């Protein structure tokens, strides 16, 4: 009985692990960002970026988590759209976008201080 239970638990862990990819194993998904404009405001350079998440997989992305760092210095709280910014600084798909279909993409935008590209790293992906 105990051996069967352990086997079931291990099988479950294997199934869950195969559906969620870990950091640095995202050859089927990539992120590109492009500066689409910049200007001076109150003596500071402001830059607007578009970011494209490409799903190059035959599977649909059900969820994606993207980590950021200090380089995501938003002009203000309303300067990011078409993506959800969590209090911990991670980015996830917005509520209106449930997934990214196979071989398609999702675009989001933000406005930051400066001209330096923002560090965006895929932390996790769950496929259906």
């Amino acid at each position: 009985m105990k051996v069967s239970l352990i086997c079931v638990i291990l099988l479950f862990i294997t199934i869950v692990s195969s559906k969620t990819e870990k950091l640095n194993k995202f050859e089927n998904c990539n992120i590109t960002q492009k500066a689409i404009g910049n200007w001076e405001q109150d003596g500071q350079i402001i830059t607007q970026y578009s970011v494209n998440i490409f799903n190059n997989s035959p599977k649909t992305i059900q969820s994606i988590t993207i980590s950021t760092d200090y380089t995501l210095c938003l002009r203000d709280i309303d300067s990011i759209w078409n993506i959800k910014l969590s209090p911990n600084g991670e980015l996830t798909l917005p509520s209106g976008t449930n997934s990214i279909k196979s071989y398609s993409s999702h675009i989001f935008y933000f406005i930051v201080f400066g001209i330096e590209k923002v560090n965006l790293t895929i932390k996790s992906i769950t496929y259906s």
Side-chain angles (χ1 to χ4, degrees), residues 66-89:
I66 300 168
S67 62
T68 64
D69 62 11
Y70 71 94
T71 57
L72 184 65
C73 186
L74 296 174
R75 179 183 62 175
D76 57 45
I77 194 67
D78 296 321
S79 293
I80 188 165
W81 59 99
N82 211 25
I83 197 81
K84 179 181 175 188
L85 175 61
S86 301
N88 65 1

Side-chain angles (χ1 to χ4, degrees), residues 25-57:
K25 294 186 179 178
F26 303 108
E27 59 274 351
N28 289 328
C29 183
N30 61 341
I31 299 173
T32 59
Q33 59 183 301
K34 177 182 172 185
I36 56 177
N38 59 19
W39 60 94
E40 187 174 327
Q41 180 179 327
D42 299 326
Q44 294 186 312
I45 300 295
I46 307 292
T47 306
Q48 181 176 347
Y49 286 93
S50 66
V51 180
N52 202 331
I53 305 169
F54 293 99
N55 178 8
N56 298 315
S57 167

Side-chain angles (χ1 to χ4, degrees), residues 3-48:
V3 173
S4 296
L5 181 59
I6 291 172
C7 289
V8 168
I9 291 170
L10 289 174
L11 178 63
F12 177 76
I13 290 170
T14 302
I15 291 170
V16 170
S17 297
S18 69
K19 290 189 134 206
T20 302
E21 294 189 27
K22 304 296 183 223
L23 189 62
N24 298 325
K25 294 186 179 178
F26 303 108
E27 59 274 351
N28 289 328
C29 183
N30 61 341
I31 299 173
T32 59
Q33 59 183 301
K34 177 182 172 185
I36 56 177
N38 59 19
W39 60 94
E40 187 174 327
Q41 180 179 327
D42 299 326
Q44 294 186 312
I45 300 295
I46 307 292
T47 306
Q48 181 176 347

